[in-house]
Amino acid sequence: MLFHVRMDVQLPADLDPGERDALLAREKAYSQELQLDGRWPHLWRIAGEYANISIFDVASNDELHELLSGLPLFPHMRIHVTPLAHHPSDIHD
């Protein structure tokens, strides 16, 4: 199942710089693991915002929820999920 996911990050302004760096390093490692195993095939930054648009390819809504809630930045995110379906005019299978 494919999902379009927008993630907007809002880190606390008073977050300790060392804690921030460690949090971002964990986030990067976790997201790269999911990209390498194919469940997060597309990740784009939204220019001018601390946000991204991603495509996830997972087996179920529950799996997507588990992956998203496992993101180290999850407590600091606003997430919008849109399930995707094949378009009949698409020339790609």
Side-chain angles (χ1 to χ4, degrees):
M1 299 176 69
L2 294 176
F3 295 90
H4 170 276
V5 180
R6 178 180 171 131
M7 294 178 247
D8 292 89
V9 181
Q10 297 175 331
L11 291 175
D14 61 349
L15 185 61
D16 175 77
E19 185 178 335
R20 180 186 185 278
D21 291 346
L23 179 62
L24 295 177
R26 288 194 313 274
E27 180 78 12
K28 183 175 185 176
Y30 181 78
S31 69
Q32 289 181 343
E33 177 184 321
L34 295 175
Q35 290 172 69
L36 288 169
D37 75 17
R39 292 183 285 174
W40 193 340
H42 299 283
L43 170 60
W44 295 279
R45 171 161 288 162
I46 299 173
E49 299 182 36
Y50 196 173
N52 73 73
I53 296 290
S54 296
I55 301 296
F56 283 84
D57 188 359
V58 294
S60 67
N61 295 334
D62 290 332
E63 182 181 2
L64 178 65
H65 179 75
E66 181 180 325
L67 295 179
L68 293 176
S69 63
L71 289 164
L73 286 175
F74 181 77
H76 309 289
M77 289 181 168
R78 188 179 67 230
I79 298 174
H80 181 81
V81 175
T82 304
L84 300 174
H86 180 77
H87 194 285
S89 298
D90 185 3
I91 62 170
H92 304 97
D93 286 331

